[in-house]
Amino acid sequence: MTGTFPNVSISTERLVLRPLEDSDAQAFAEMMNDELVTAWTTVPQPYGEADALAWITELAPAERTEGRGIVFALTEFLTQRLVGTVRLRRTDWRVRSTEIAYVVAPWARGEGYASEAALATAHWLFHDQGFERLELRTAADNTASQQVAQKIGCVSEGVLRGAWIARSRSEDGAWTSVRTDLIVWSLLPEDLEGLGEQLADTGFTSYGDWN
């Protein structure tokens, strides 16, 4: 059983989650070249505008049309500036489960954008799409991502030992691979019941089907 997510945008109090556009390429490439993004993701380095355009025009749209998930650009509601990205991946349509991942630009960190976007995505996923489970995996030393998981009400389910390869700077400045554990978190629809005020604060709405 395979489905596809609708091609929608999601609005919160401060953010618009929408499909990536060609005009995002420069800002997206800059974000993906950030040290923390390099450390905790598998994106190629250096990450150029050609890489960004390939992701924006081919790879990200295919995630949705082929049923694997969906990719959202996060933009500030007032300035339209690219804040980051949220991706749903490894979607299981029979189980109605998917995994969330997010990246926030360096200049936008510390503002609660990741948790606001993740919470709005979860609300849309459970209430509009009828999903029953949202999963998140964080590297053992990625405390910022773990704080987002805790803030949106995720439950820690356990540790996958040695399940991820992170990157670290060596003494000569080169990137080296480092094996690390992954913490598995989950969010179910009933977990959102205790987050009523936070959901109200996001001002969640979804709109537009551009198929």
Side-chain angles (χ1 to χ4, degrees):
M1 178 180 178
T2 301
T4 56
F5 289 116
N7 200 15
V8 301
S9 291
I10 300 170
S11 176
T12 74
E13 182 180 4
R14 298 183 299 169
L15 299 172
V16 176
L17 286 68
R18 59 159 174 78
L20 284 159
E21 300 172 353
D22 291 7
S23 58
D24 296 320
Q26 181 178 352
F28 190 85
E30 291 174 358
M31 179 174 65
M32 290 301 174
N33 279 309
D34 174 66
E35 294 263 327
L36 288 180
V37 175
T38 301
W40 299 122
T41 71
T42 60
V43 295
Q45 290 299 321
Y47 194 93
E49 285 193 42
D51 297 305
L53 281 171
W55 177 249
I56 291 168
T57 61
E58 301 174 24
L59 302 176
E63 290 285 292
R64 188 187 71 83
T65 58
E66 296 175 12
R68 295 191 298 271
I70 191 170
V71 180
F72 292 109
L74 311 181
T75 61
E76 283 188 322
F77 182 79
L78 293 178
T79 67
Q80 307 303 308
R81 189 177 181 184
L82 185 70
V83 168
T85 183
V86 165
R87 179 185 179 189
L88 297 180
R89 60 187 181 184
R90 301 191 179 107
T91 303
D92 188 322
W93 291 93
R94 184 181 70 83
V95 178
R96 308 298 286 183
S97 173
T98 191
E99 180 183 330
I100 189 170
Y102 40 76
V103 171
V104 174
W107 64 267
R109 291 176 188 147
E111 300 296 328
Y113 284 138
S115 56
E116 183 174 328
L119 194 59
T121 302
H123 187 71
W124 169 76
L125 190 71
F126 294 150
H127 293 277
D128 285 23
Q129 301 303 308
F131 269 60
E132 297 293 337
R133 176 181 169 90
L134 181 61
E135 188 171 299
L136 172 62
R137 300 184 178 196
T138 63
D141 293 329
N142 191 349
T143 56
S145 189
Q146 292 165 31
Q147 288 169 355
V148 172
Q150 293 169 338
K151 188 173 182 180
I152 67 172
C154 289
V155 175
S156 176
E157 294 186 332
V159 176
L160 300 177
R161 297 183 299 165
W164 187 249
I165 302 294
R167 289 180 281 202
S168 177
R169 285 285 193 189
S170 62
E171 292 183 0
D172 63 3
W175 287 104
T176 59
S177 297
V178 180
R179 184 169 292 276
T180 186
D181 298 338
L182 284 177
I183 302 174
V184 179
W185 308 78
S186 68
L187 190 70
L188 305 183
E190 54 265 32
D191 296 328
L192 294 182
E193 294 176 3
L195 296 173
E197 292 183 2
Q198 290 188 46
L199 284 172
D201 289 342
T202 66
F204 158 81
T205 57
S206 66
Y207 57 91
D209 187 341
W210 303 331
N211 284 322

